[in-house]
Amino acid sequence: MDRIAIEGGARLEGEIAISGAKNSAIKLMAASLLTSEPLRLTNMPRLADTRFLGQLLSRLGTEVQEQDGPDGPETLLHTPEIISAIAPYDLVRQMRASFNVLGPLLARTGEAKVSLPGGCTIGARPVDLHLQALTAMGAEIELEEGYVIARTPHGLKGAEIEFPFVSVGATEHALLAAVLADGTTVLRKAAREPEIGDLARCLTAMGARIEGVDTDELVITGVGSLGGANWSVIPDRIEMGSYAVAAAMAGGEVRLTKTRPELMTALAEKMIEAGVEVTPTTDGVIVKRDPARRLRAVDVATEVYPGFATDLQAQFMALMTTAEGDSVIHENIFENRFMHAPELIRLGADIHVQAGEAVVRGVPALHGAQVMATDLRASVSLVIAGLAAEGETMIGRVYHLVRGFERLEEKLSACGADIRRVRDEVHEH
Ligand code: EPZ
């Protein structure tokens, strides 16, 4: 299994182009099941997760073609007809978001059998809200041997749905089903993460009728069929935030391009409070920090968008490990999302975790060590810590990283980081 080796201490200077958002790309790919016409997605990230979903979609009847377009990587998805409405466990378990093919399959064919996503290291992550929304739209749902078996004997019908709390996945799933339902669907307490806006706008380009995009109430008037479209995937705000924190941690000056400053407003506010310079530009931000001066500790609490993203919590914790003072970090979205804390402690951090809260007491410096990636965002927090740690940090289980960060080592080393992938010959278990 590959590892990543980082020799800490190098400043970062240069430019990093942000890729298309993983968490938008995979939902947009699922949307291609809703039409028999081709959907062309540009600004596509090339990641393990997009590859997984491509494999699943191919089984369902989608022709998936990755190509290099004039503006970079793109994916052409074409589903003339659904050849199978079964999403098997071995594919869904690899990536939870594959579960979101259930709604489009139901909308297009009236039936689907999709494996439950199973456990996940960052918490229980059930799909009850997804199923409640589909049931409200007229789906008959049974759970059998780990599979959701769903049918719509009378087609999907518009419904008024108020989510008990905000869920990104359930909002997207309900939206994907509602666009082809008969009548009007109202989604209240909808999530309004930028990736949902991206999905809604792409569906609109395909012929869907959606009002209230970017708000917490979506009104969807079902249409008889959707057509194809060309759509450019929104920039990845979590990748952007991760590199912004990396630059702040290592010190130096990095310009993040091909993105939009407003995608990281909540993070930028906290970084500025901590003493980092964050300057918006027309296509991103410039992050500047003098490594000779310690940052100040600041508190953060994760919230749904536009609040501080849970997907940036681990990275921010890494940044706080060497800040002056105590930082209190509340995780409000997932119940078990501090697995990076023990790994950061191995690098010399002083962190105490209790329930949904971590107290980070800033230390003057981190020291390189062997650590292990536990999930996608946790693993990038270890990279960030390693950039500033004295000596060598060796990160194991990097397969988590390739799920969501495109060409990470290349992007960081282009800015001067001493980071490389170590290919191991022996397999670990
Ligand atoms: C999405 O997950 C993202 N994944 C996550 O990013 C992200 O952390 C999360 O939204 C929050 O922003 C994708 O977009 C693929 P939720 P999702 O439904 O949709 C509970 C990454 O690293 N819940 O908003 O699964 C759930 O357990 C990933 O890229 C239910 O109880 O998040 C959680 O505590 C990690 N029942 C909370 O709601 C449900 O039916 C929010 O989850 C659904 C969710």
Side-chain angles (χ1 to χ4, degrees):
M1 202 186 291
D2 288 1
R3 290 177 295 166
I4 283 184
I6 304 170
E7 188 65 41
R11 289 179 184 215
L12 297 185
E13 305 280 347
E15 194 172 302
I16 297 179
I18 300 305
S19 301
K22 165 182 89 82
N23 286 349
S24 191
I26 51 187
K27 323 300 167 59
L28 294 167
M29 289 174 76
S32 70
L33 291 171
L34 292 167
T35 172
S36 59
E37 289 179 24
L39 176 65
R40 178 167 154 259
L41 299 177
T42 56
N43 197 33
M44 272 294 285
R46 294 279 181 252
L47 300 165
D49 273 12
T50 50
R51 233 182 3 259
F52 286 147
L53 189 59
Q55 283 166 12
L56 172 59
L57 293 176
S58 306
R59 287 238 205 149
L60 305 178
T62 311
E63 294 152 20
V64 183
Q65 198 182 321
E66 294 190 344
Q67 55 198 35
D68 278 319
D71 297 321
E74 49 182 62
T75 302
L76 201 62
L77 300 123
H78 187 198
T79 320
E81 57 183 332
I82 304 288
I83 56 171
S84 162
I86 302 174
Y89 176 65
D90 61 329
L91 289 178
V92 179
R93 104 188 135 76
Q94 299 194 54
M95 187 185 55
R96 180 185 157 82
S98 318
F99 185 72
N100 280 26
V101 299
L102 175 63
L105 284 175
L106 262 185
R108 180 106 178 253
T109 69
E111 58 175 11
K113 180 176 174 184
V114 176
S115 171
L116 284 164
C120 168
T121 50
I122 63 173
R125 299 182 85 187
V127 286
D128 51 336
L129 301 191
H130 300 230
L131 299 182
Q132 281 164 22
L134 294 174
T135 306
M137 283 187 242
E140 292 176 0
I141 290 178
E142 288 167 53
L143 299 181
E144 222 173 77
E145 294 172 356
Y147 278 81
V148 173
I149 300 175
R151 286 185 195 86
T152 53
H154 312 292
L156 284 171
K157 303 263 182 273
E160 300 227 349
I161 297 164
E162 176 158 336
F163 294 110
F165 54 90
V166 176
S167 159
V168 172
T171 303
E172 287 161 340
H173 209 161
L175 178 60
L176 283 166
V179 286
L180 287 182
D182 185 15
T184 300
T185 299
V186 183
L187 303 178
R188 298 202 175 88
K189 254 197 219 171
R192 51 196 176 110
E193 268 60 9
E195 295 74 27
I196 295 172
D198 202 34
L199 175 63
R201 289 188 178 85
C202 174
L203 289 167
T204 304
M206 292 163 73
R209 290 177 55 197
I210 305 167
E211 285 165 52
V213 176
D214 294 334
T215 74
D216 62 0
E217 184 168 315
L218 295 170
V219 180
I220 305 127
T221 308
V223 294
S225 67
L226 293 177
N230 283 326
W231 194 255
S232 173
V233 180
I234 192 174
D236 195 316
R237 65 195 165 98
I238 306 301
E239 189 199 22
M240 178 189 186
S242 302
Y243 289 129
V245 174
M249 185 79 183
E253 184 171 334
V254 175
R255 175 187 283 265
L256 304 176
T257 62
K258 282 192 76 186
T259 178
R260 306 203 300 252
E262 69 275 14
L263 288 174
M264 54 167 266
T265 303
L267 171 67
E269 281 169 6
K270 288 294 173 183
M271 287 176 60
I272 291 166
E273 209 182 312
V276 183
E277 275 180 52
V278 183
T279 315
T281 64
T282 48
D283 72 340
V285 290
I286 297 171
V287 179
K288 192 172 167 191
R289 185 208 156 190
D290 173 1
R293 291 179 52 190
R294 269 181 93 178
L295 295 178
R296 291 181 288 277
V298 293
D299 300 340
V300 298
T302 62
E303 303 291 346
V304 296
Y305 192 82
F308 193 97
T310 173
D311 286 349
L312 289 170
Q313 180 257 107
Q315 298 86 319
F316 201 79
M317 186 185 288
L319 184 64
M320 290 294 100
T321 56
T322 54
E324 185 118 50
D326 290 359
S327 159
V328 181
I329 299 182
H330 276 278
E331 173 54 58
N332 293 315
I333 308 295
F334 292 108
E335 72 270 27
N336 181 27
R337 208 173 194 186
F338 285 131
M339 287 98 64
H340 40 283
E343 301 302 309
L344 290 170
I345 291 169
R346 288 178 59 77
L347 296 172
D350 181 349
I351 305 169
H352 293 271
V353 175
Q354 207 174 18
E357 187 178 288
V359 179
V360 185
R361 187 152 294 168
V363 293
L366 298 179
H367 306 278
Q370 287 200 25
V371 288
M372 208 166 64
T374 47
D375 73 63
L376 168 58
R377 310 305 178 185
S379 44
V380 80
S381 78
L382 300 177
V383 171
I384 290 168
L387 290 173
E390 289 167 5
E392 188 183 70
T393 297
M394 184 68 91
I395 306 172
R397 301 205 173 156
V398 299
Y399 56 82
H400 290 293
L401 267 179
V402 299
R403 289 191 48 197
F405 289 90
E406 188 177 51
R407 297 180 284 107
L408 173 109
E409 302 100 286
E410 191 186 312
K411 289 188 182 189
L412 283 173
S413 41
C415 291
D418 186 346
I419 178 170
R420 69 198 154 85
R421 187 172 284 237
V422 181
R423 304 211 182 267
D424 280 356
E425 278 152 32
V426 209
H427 281 279
E428 292 168 28
H429 292 284

